Amino acid sequence: MRSIWNGAISFGLVSIPIKLVNATENHSISFRQIHRADGGRIRYRKVCELDGEEVSTPEIGKAYEDADGSMIPITDDDLAALPLPTAKTIEIVAFVPADSIDPLQMDTAYYLSAAGVPAAKPYTLLREALKRSQKVAVAKFALRGRERLGMLRVVDDVIAMHGLLWPDEIRAPESVAPETDVTVREAELDLADALMDTLGSVDLDSLHDDYRDAVEEMIAAKAEGAPAPEREPAAGEGGKVLDLMAALENSVRAAKEGRAEGDEVAEVTRLPEKKAAKETAKRAPAKRAPAKKSTAAKKTATSKPASKATARTASKTAKTSKTASKSAKKTAAKTTSKTASGARKRASA
Protein backbone atom coordinates (compact mmCIF):
# COMPACT_ATOMS: atom_id res chain seq x y z
CA MET A 1 0.00 0.00 0.00
CA ARG A 2 1.23 3.48 -0.86
CA SER A 3 2.06 5.75 2.06
CA ILE A 4 0.50 9.22 2.22
CA TRP A 5 2.71 10.68 4.95
CA ASN A 6 6.15 9.98 6.38
CA GLY A 7 7.22 10.97 9.87
CA ALA A 8 7.80 9.51 13.32
CA ILE A 9 5.96 8.56 16.49
CA SER A 10 7.25 10.46 19.52
CA PHE A 11 6.95 8.15 22.54
CA GLY A 12 8.68 10.01 25.38
CA LEU A 13 12.34 10.06 24.33
CA VAL A 14 11.72 7.22 21.87
CA SER A 15 11.31 8.14 18.20
CA ILE A 16 9.83 5.56 15.82
CA PRO A 17 10.08 6.30 12.07
CA ILE A 18 6.77 5.36 10.44
CA LYS A 19 4.75 5.62 7.24
CA LEU A 20 1.06 6.50 7.22
CA VAL A 21 -1.20 4.32 5.04
CA ASN A 22 -4.95 4.63 4.48
CA ALA A 23 -6.74 1.82 6.34
CA THR A 24 -10.05 2.14 4.47
CA GLU A 25 -11.23 2.49 0.88
CA ASN A 26 -14.44 3.69 -0.69
CA HIS A 27 -16.37 1.24 -2.90
CA SER A 28 -19.21 3.62 -3.76
CA ILE A 29 -20.16 3.86 -7.44
CA SER A 30 -19.38 7.31 -8.80
CA PHE A 31 -21.31 9.10 -11.55
CA ARG A 32 -20.35 11.79 -14.07
CA GLN A 33 -22.34 14.88 -14.86
CA ILE A 34 -23.64 15.03 -18.43
CA HIS A 35 -25.65 17.32 -20.68
CA ARG A 36 -29.10 15.71 -20.81
CA ALA A 37 -29.75 16.93 -24.34
CA ASP A 38 -26.84 15.13 -26.02
CA GLY A 39 -25.09 13.12 -23.25
CA GLY A 40 -21.89 15.18 -23.40
CA ARG A 41 -19.65 15.32 -20.31
CA ILE A 42 -19.87 18.41 -18.13
CA ARG A 43 -16.40 19.54 -17.10
CA TYR A 44 -15.25 22.30 -14.80
CA ARG A 45 -12.53 24.71 -15.78
CA LYS A 46 -10.59 26.75 -13.24
CA VAL A 47 -10.84 30.31 -14.40
CA CYS A 48 -9.39 33.48 -12.85
CA GLU A 49 -12.28 35.82 -12.19
CA LEU A 50 -10.08 38.88 -12.78
CA ASP A 51 -8.85 38.19 -16.31
CA GLY A 52 -11.22 35.33 -17.28
CA GLU A 53 -8.34 33.06 -18.31
CA GLU A 54 -8.20 29.34 -17.52
CA VAL A 55 -5.46 28.54 -14.98
CA SER A 56 -3.40 25.34 -14.85
CA THR A 57 -2.74 23.46 -11.60
CA PRO A 58 0.92 24.63 -11.16
CA GLU A 59 -0.29 28.24 -11.32
CA ILE A 60 -2.83 27.80 -8.52
CA GLY A 61 -1.91 28.78 -4.96
CA LYS A 62 -3.85 29.17 -1.71
CA ALA A 63 -5.02 32.20 0.23
CA TYR A 64 -7.09 33.09 3.27
CA GLU A 65 -10.20 35.17 2.64
CA ASP A 66 -10.52 37.97 5.15
CA ALA A 67 -13.81 39.25 6.52
CA ASP A 68 -13.83 42.14 4.00
CA GLY A 69 -13.35 39.72 1.08
CA SER A 70 -9.67 40.47 0.51
CA MET A 71 -7.31 37.54 -0.15
CA ILE A 72 -4.19 36.97 1.95
CA PRO A 73 -1.80 34.67 0.00
CA ILE A 74 -0.35 31.74 1.98
CA THR A 75 2.55 29.71 0.60
CA ASP A 76 3.78 26.21 1.47
CA ASP A 77 6.96 27.82 2.87
CA ASP A 78 4.83 29.91 5.23
CA LEU A 79 3.19 26.78 6.60
CA ALA A 80 6.46 24.82 6.81
CA ALA A 81 8.05 27.62 8.86
CA LEU A 82 5.41 27.42 11.59
CA PRO A 83 6.85 26.35 15.00
CA LEU A 84 4.68 23.22 15.08
CA PRO A 85 6.28 20.19 16.81
CA THR A 86 3.77 17.85 15.19
CA ALA A 87 4.59 18.90 11.62
CA LYS A 88 6.35 15.58 10.98
CA THR A 89 5.70 13.81 14.27
CA ILE A 90 2.82 11.91 15.84
CA GLU A 91 3.26 13.10 19.40
CA ILE A 92 1.72 10.83 22.03
CA VAL A 93 0.36 12.92 24.88
CA ALA A 94 -1.46 10.33 27.03
CA PHE A 95 -2.62 6.72 27.42
CA VAL A 96 -6.29 6.32 28.31
CA PRO A 97 -8.96 3.54 28.45
CA ALA A 98 -10.53 2.93 25.05
CA ASP A 99 -14.06 3.58 26.34
CA SER A 100 -13.08 7.11 27.33
CA ILE A 101 -13.02 8.09 23.64
CA ASP A 102 -16.41 9.22 22.35
CA PRO A 103 -17.17 7.36 19.07
CA LEU A 104 -18.57 10.64 17.72
CA GLN A 105 -14.99 11.93 17.59
CA MET A 106 -13.68 9.14 15.35
CA ASP A 107 -12.71 10.13 11.83
CA THR A 108 -10.51 8.58 9.12
CA ALA A 109 -8.49 5.47 10.00
CA TYR A 110 -4.84 4.83 9.08
CA TYR A 111 -2.27 2.06 9.49
CA LEU A 112 1.14 2.97 10.86
CA SER A 113 3.97 1.04 9.22
CA ALA A 114 7.51 0.85 10.61
CA ALA A 115 9.85 2.70 8.22
CA GLY A 116 12.90 0.47 7.89
CA VAL A 117 14.60 -2.22 9.96
CA PRO A 118 15.80 0.07 12.82
CA ALA A 119 12.19 1.09 13.49
CA ALA A 120 11.01 -2.52 13.99
CA LYS A 121 12.15 -2.83 17.64
CA PRO A 122 10.64 0.41 19.04
CA TYR A 123 7.51 -0.14 16.91
CA THR A 124 7.05 -3.62 18.42
CA LEU A 125 7.74 -2.25 21.91
CA LEU A 126 4.94 0.34 21.58
CA ARG A 127 2.55 -2.22 20.09
CA GLU A 128 3.10 -4.74 22.90
CA ALA A 129 2.87 -2.01 25.55
CA LEU A 130 -0.53 -0.99 24.17
CA LYS A 131 -1.67 -4.61 24.17
CA ARG A 132 -0.62 -5.27 27.76
CA SER A 133 -2.02 -2.04 29.16
CA GLN A 134 -5.32 -2.50 27.28
CA LYS A 135 -5.29 1.23 26.67
CA VAL A 136 -5.12 3.49 23.63
CA ALA A 137 -2.72 6.36 22.99
CA VAL A 138 -3.97 9.89 22.39
CA ALA A 139 -1.69 11.81 20.04
CA LYS A 140 -1.41 15.03 18.08
CA PHE A 141 -0.24 15.15 14.47
CA ALA A 142 -0.30 17.49 11.48
CA LEU A 143 -1.72 16.41 8.13
CA ARG A 144 -2.94 18.33 5.07
CA GLY A 145 -2.28 21.75 6.50
CA ARG A 146 -3.80 21.38 9.95
CA GLU A 147 -3.01 19.86 13.33
CA ARG A 148 -5.22 16.96 14.29
CA LEU A 149 -5.99 14.68 17.19
CA GLY A 150 -5.47 10.93 16.88
CA MET A 151 -6.02 7.68 18.76
CA LEU A 152 -3.52 4.83 18.42
CA ARG A 153 -4.64 1.23 19.03
CA VAL A 154 -3.52 -2.27 18.03
CA VAL A 155 -5.25 -4.14 15.19
CA ASP A 156 -3.83 -7.67 14.84
CA ASP A 157 -0.06 -7.00 14.75
CA VAL A 158 -0.30 -3.44 13.44
CA ILE A 159 -0.65 -0.07 15.13
CA ALA A 160 -3.65 1.75 13.71
CA MET A 161 -4.49 5.41 14.16
CA HIS A 162 -7.96 6.94 14.06
CA GLY A 163 -8.12 10.65 13.35
CA LEU A 164 -10.22 12.32 16.04
CA LEU A 165 -12.27 15.47 15.84
CA TRP A 166 -11.41 18.10 18.40
CA PRO A 167 -13.94 18.22 21.26
CA ASP A 168 -15.20 21.65 20.15
CA GLU A 169 -15.98 20.19 16.70
CA ILE A 170 -18.68 17.92 18.16
CA ARG A 171 -22.04 19.65 18.02
CA ALA A 172 -24.38 19.41 20.99
CA PRO A 173 -27.57 17.42 20.18
CA GLU A 174 -29.87 20.38 20.75
CA SER A 175 -33.46 20.15 19.44
CA VAL A 176 -32.81 16.62 18.17
CA ALA A 177 -34.61 14.48 20.77
CA PRO A 178 -38.44 14.32 20.62
CA GLU A 179 -39.90 17.43 22.23
CA THR A 180 -43.14 15.75 23.32
CA ASP A 181 -43.30 13.74 26.54
CA VAL A 182 -43.65 10.04 25.75
CA THR A 183 -44.35 7.24 28.22
CA VAL A 184 -43.03 3.78 27.36
CA ARG A 185 -44.82 0.89 29.03
CA GLU A 186 -43.07 -2.09 30.57
CA ALA A 187 -44.83 -4.43 28.13
CA GLU A 188 -43.37 -2.49 25.21
CA LEU A 189 -39.89 -2.64 26.74
CA ASP A 190 -40.29 -6.39 27.32
CA LEU A 191 -41.18 -6.90 23.65
CA ALA A 192 -38.27 -4.73 22.56
CA ASP A 193 -35.93 -6.80 24.76
CA ALA A 194 -37.39 -10.01 23.31
CA LEU A 195 -36.80 -8.72 19.78
CA MET A 196 -33.20 -7.79 20.60
CA ASP A 197 -32.57 -11.24 22.12
CA THR A 198 -34.19 -13.01 19.17
CA LEU A 199 -32.19 -11.11 16.56
CA GLY A 200 -29.03 -11.97 18.48
CA SER A 201 -25.58 -11.14 17.11
CA VAL A 202 -24.31 -10.85 13.55
CA ASP A 203 -21.05 -11.56 11.78
CA LEU A 204 -20.14 -8.15 10.34
CA ASP A 205 -18.13 -9.85 7.58
CA SER A 206 -21.38 -11.34 6.27
CA LEU A 207 -22.94 -7.92 5.66
CA HIS A 208 -22.62 -6.26 2.26
CA ASP A 209 -23.84 -3.24 0.33
CA ASP A 210 -27.19 -4.24 -1.21
CA TYR A 211 -27.68 -0.78 -2.69
CA ARG A 212 -24.40 -0.97 -4.63
CA ASP A 213 -25.39 -4.42 -5.97
CA ALA A 214 -28.73 -3.02 -7.13
CA VAL A 215 -27.03 -0.06 -8.84
CA GLU A 216 -24.59 -2.39 -10.64
CA GLU A 217 -27.49 -4.60 -11.85
CA MET A 218 -29.35 -1.54 -13.08
CA ILE A 219 -26.27 -0.23 -14.95
CA ALA A 220 -25.64 -3.65 -16.54
CA ALA A 221 -29.29 -3.86 -17.67
CA LYS A 222 -29.26 -0.37 -19.18
CA ALA A 223 -25.95 -1.09 -20.95
CA GLU A 224 -27.61 -4.09 -22.65
CA GLY A 225 -30.71 -2.10 -23.50
CA ALA A 226 -32.88 -4.09 -21.10
CA PRO A 227 -35.36 -2.52 -18.66
CA ALA A 228 -34.08 -1.77 -15.19
CA PRO A 229 -34.98 -4.52 -12.68
CA GLU A 230 -37.89 -3.68 -10.40
CA ARG A 231 -37.68 -4.00 -6.68
CA GLU A 232 -40.22 -4.59 -3.94
CA PRO A 233 -40.62 -1.83 -1.35
CA ALA A 234 -38.86 -2.63 1.90
CA ALA A 235 -40.90 -3.29 5.02
CA GLY A 236 -41.66 -0.07 6.85
CA GLU A 237 -40.57 2.05 3.88
CA GLY A 238 -41.80 5.61 4.01
CA GLY A 239 -41.40 6.07 7.76
CA LYS A 240 -45.09 5.56 8.55
CA VAL A 241 -45.90 5.31 12.26
CA LEU A 242 -47.70 2.01 12.94
CA ASP A 243 -49.19 0.41 16.05
CA LEU A 244 -46.04 0.00 18.15
CA MET A 245 -47.15 -3.08 20.09
CA ALA A 246 -48.38 -4.85 16.95
CA ALA A 247 -45.17 -3.99 15.12
CA LEU A 248 -43.03 -5.32 17.98
CA GLU A 249 -45.08 -8.52 18.30
CA ASN A 250 -44.93 -9.15 14.55
CA SER A 251 -41.18 -8.47 14.55
CA VAL A 252 -40.55 -10.94 17.39
CA ARG A 253 -42.72 -13.57 15.68
CA ALA A 254 -40.98 -13.10 12.33
CA ALA A 255 -37.53 -13.22 13.94
CA LYS A 256 -38.38 -16.45 15.77
CA GLU A 257 -39.75 -18.04 12.61
CA GLY A 258 -36.66 -17.01 10.69
CA ARG A 259 -34.38 -18.45 13.35
CA ALA A 260 -36.41 -21.69 13.49
CA GLU A 261 -36.15 -22.08 9.71
CA GLY A 262 -32.42 -21.37 9.72
CA ASP A 263 -31.54 -23.60 12.68
CA GLU A 264 -34.35 -26.15 12.19
CA VAL A 265 -35.23 -25.77 15.86
CA ALA A 266 -38.75 -25.02 17.06
CA GLU A 267 -39.84 -24.16 20.58
CA VAL A 268 -42.23 -26.66 22.22
CA THR A 269 -44.62 -25.48 24.94
CA ARG A 270 -45.39 -28.24 27.42
CA LEU A 271 -48.92 -28.32 28.87
CA PRO A 272 -49.50 -29.35 32.52
CA GLU A 273 -51.05 -32.83 32.93
CA LYS A 274 -54.43 -31.55 34.17
CA LYS A 275 -54.65 -29.01 31.38
CA ALA A 276 -53.60 -31.66 28.85
CA ALA A 277 -56.34 -34.03 30.08
CA LYS A 278 -58.95 -31.28 29.79
CA GLU A 279 -57.79 -30.38 26.29
CA THR A 280 -57.97 -34.07 25.29
CA ALA A 281 -61.46 -34.43 26.80
CA LYS A 282 -62.62 -31.42 24.81
CA ARG A 283 -61.27 -32.88 21.58
CA ALA A 284 -62.66 -36.43 22.22
CA PRO A 285 -66.35 -35.74 21.28
CA ALA A 286 -65.21 -34.08 18.09
CA LYS A 287 -63.57 -37.34 17.00
CA ARG A 288 -66.89 -39.28 17.50
CA ALA A 289 -68.93 -36.64 15.63
CA PRO A 290 -70.59 -37.48 12.27
CA ALA A 291 -68.53 -37.30 9.11
CA LYS A 292 -70.18 -34.04 8.00
CA LYS A 293 -67.57 -31.30 7.82
CA SER A 294 -68.45 -27.86 9.05
CA THR A 295 -67.24 -24.65 7.43
CA ALA A 296 -64.56 -24.31 10.15
CA ALA A 297 -63.40 -27.86 9.46
CA LYS A 298 -63.11 -27.11 5.76
CA LYS A 299 -61.03 -24.05 6.51
CA THR A 300 -58.81 -26.10 8.79
CA ALA A 301 -58.39 -28.74 6.09
CA THR A 302 -57.33 -26.16 3.51
CA SER A 303 -55.01 -24.26 5.86
CA LYS A 304 -51.29 -24.74 6.07
CA PRO A 305 -49.98 -27.86 7.84
CA ALA A 306 -49.31 -27.53 11.53
CA SER A 307 -45.77 -26.70 12.60
CA LYS A 308 -43.41 -29.25 14.11
CA ALA A 309 -43.88 -27.59 17.51
CA THR A 310 -47.68 -28.08 17.37
CA ALA A 311 -47.28 -31.72 16.27
CA ARG A 312 -44.91 -32.45 19.13
CA THR A 313 -47.22 -30.73 21.64
CA ALA A 314 -50.22 -32.78 20.39
CA SER A 315 -48.19 -35.99 20.62
CA LYS A 316 -47.14 -35.25 24.19
CA THR A 317 -50.73 -34.29 25.09
CA ALA A 318 -52.02 -37.62 23.70
CA LYS A 319 -49.41 -39.54 25.69
CA THR A 320 -50.39 -37.65 28.86
CA SER A 321 -54.07 -38.43 28.20
CA LYS A 322 -53.35 -42.16 27.71
CA THR A 323 -51.36 -42.24 30.95
CA ALA A 324 -54.19 -40.50 32.83
CA SER A 325 -56.72 -42.96 31.33
CA LYS A 326 -54.67 -46.04 32.33
CA SER A 327 -54.26 -44.65 35.85
CA ALA A 328 -58.02 -44.08 36.17
CA LYS A 329 -58.75 -47.65 34.99
CA LYS A 330 -56.29 -49.15 37.50
CA THR A 331 -57.82 -47.09 40.34
CA ALA A 332 -61.37 -48.19 39.38
CA ALA A 333 -60.28 -51.86 39.20
CA LYS A 334 -58.70 -51.71 42.66
CA THR A 335 -61.82 -50.09 44.17
CA THR A 336 -64.12 -52.76 42.63
CA SER A 337 -61.88 -55.55 43.90
CA LYS A 338 -61.90 -54.21 47.48
CA THR A 339 -65.71 -53.83 47.46
CA ALA A 340 -66.23 -57.42 46.26
CA SER A 341 -63.84 -58.79 48.87
CA GLY A 342 -65.66 -56.99 51.68
CA ALA A 343 -68.99 -58.35 50.52
CA ARG A 344 -67.68 -61.94 50.54
CA LYS A 345 -66.38 -61.58 54.10
CA ARG A 346 -69.76 -60.30 55.40
CA ALA A 347 -71.58 -63.15 53.61
CA SER A 348 -69.36 -65.80 55.21
CA ALA A 349 -69.86 -64.25 58.66
Side-chain angles (χ1 to χ4, degrees), residues 33-51:
Q33 292 185 328
I34 61 169
H35 185 196
R36 289 182 177 176
D38 54 19
R41 280 280 306 276
I42 302 297
R43 299 182 182 273
Y44 292 94
R45 294 184 174 87
K46 297 178 180 180
V47 178
C48 176
E49 57 182 32
L50 293 181
D51 56 23

Side-chain angles (χ1 to χ4, degrees), residues 36-344:
R36 289 182 177 176
D38 54 19
R41 280 280 306 276
I42 302 297
R43 299 182 182 273
Y44 292 94
R45 294 184 174 87
K46 297 178 180 180
V47 178
C48 176
E49 57 182 32
L50 293 181
D51 56 23
E53 294 184 1
E54 187 175 350
V55 182
S56 62
T57 301
E59 298 177 285
I60 298 174
K62 58 173 70 76
Y64 174 80
E65 184 175 4
D66 207 352
D68 59 1
S70 60
M71 297 292 176
I72 303 173
I74 303 295
T75 65
D76 291 338
D77 293 337
D78 293 333
L79 296 174
L82 291 175
L84 191 64
T86 57
K88 281 291 181 181
T89 304
I90 299 173
E91 181 184 358
I92 295 177
V93 296
F95 292 90
V96 300
D99 58 7
S100 66
I101 304 296
D102 190 339
L104 281 174
Q105 288 185 257
M106 292 193 180
D107 201 359
T108 309
Y110 308 94
Y111 289 136
L112 304 182
S113 171
V117 176
K121 181 65 179 288
Y123 182 96
T124 305
L125 171 65
L126 175 59
R127 183 191 68 199
E128 296 305 312
L130 287 171
K131 281 184 180 180
R132 191 168 72 171
S133 68
Q134 296 184 346
K135 293 183 177 181
V136 296
V138 177
K140 295 169 67 177
F141 67 104
L143 182 65
R144 299 189 177 100
R146 55 170 292 201
E147 188 173 53
R148 304 173 184 232
L149 202 58
M151 179 190 77
L152 276 64
R153 68 185 184 96
V154 179
V155 177
D156 295 333
D157 289 330
V158 176
I159 299 175
M161 181 173 70
H162 295 267
L164 299 178
L165 299 174
W166 296 99
D168 60 359
E169 292 178 319
I170 305 296
R171 300 172 64 182
E174 297 175 355
S175 305
V176 178
E179 295 181 359
T180 56
D181 292 333
V182 178
T183 301
V184 179
R185 293 178 294 171
E186 288 295 325
E188 293 169 336
L189 283 174
D190 292 341
L191 278 173
D193 290 340
L195 178 58
M196 292 167 64
D197 293 338
T198 305
L199 291 176
S201 59
V202 65
D203 180 8
L204 293 179
D205 292 334
S206 67
L207 302 179
H208 64 281
D209 190 347
D210 293 324
Y211 180 78
R212 188 183 70 192
D213 292 344
V215 172
E216 290 176 347
E217 289 178 10
M218 179 264 293
I219 293 173
K222 291 181 75 70
E224 296 174 359
E230 297 181 358
R231 70 176 183 90
E232 296 181 0
E237 189 172 2
K240 294 181 180 179
V241 179
L242 305 174
D243 181 355
L244 182 58
M245 287 294 289
L248 285 170
E249 289 172 353
N250 292 336
S251 298
V252 172
R253 188 179 302 110
K256 284 185 176 180
E257 289 175 358
R259 172 173 286 188
E261 290 176 2
D263 300 340
E264 296 185 356
V265 175
E267 294 184 0
V268 178
T269 304
R270 295 188 178 182
L271 295 175
E273 291 186 6
K274 292 184 179 179
K275 190 173 181 182
K278 288 181 181 178
E279 291 294 330
T280 307
K282 287 180 182 178
R283 295 191 188 104
K287 292 181 181 178
R288 295 190 294 271
K292 293 182 180 179
K293 293 185 178 179
S294 64
T295 307
K298 291 180 181 178
K299 289 183 178 179
T300 306
T302 55
S303 62
K304 295 181 180 179
S307 63
K308 293 182 180 179
T310 306
R312 290 176 185 169
T313 303
S315 176
K316 290 186 178 180
T317 302
K319 289 180 180 178
T320 305
S321 177
K322 288 179 180 178
T323 304
S325 178
K326 288 180 180 179
S327 177
K329 288 180 179 177
K330 288 180 181 179
T331 303
K334 288 179 181 178
T335 304
T336 303
S337 177
K338 286 181 180 179
T339 303
S341 177
R344 287 195 296 270

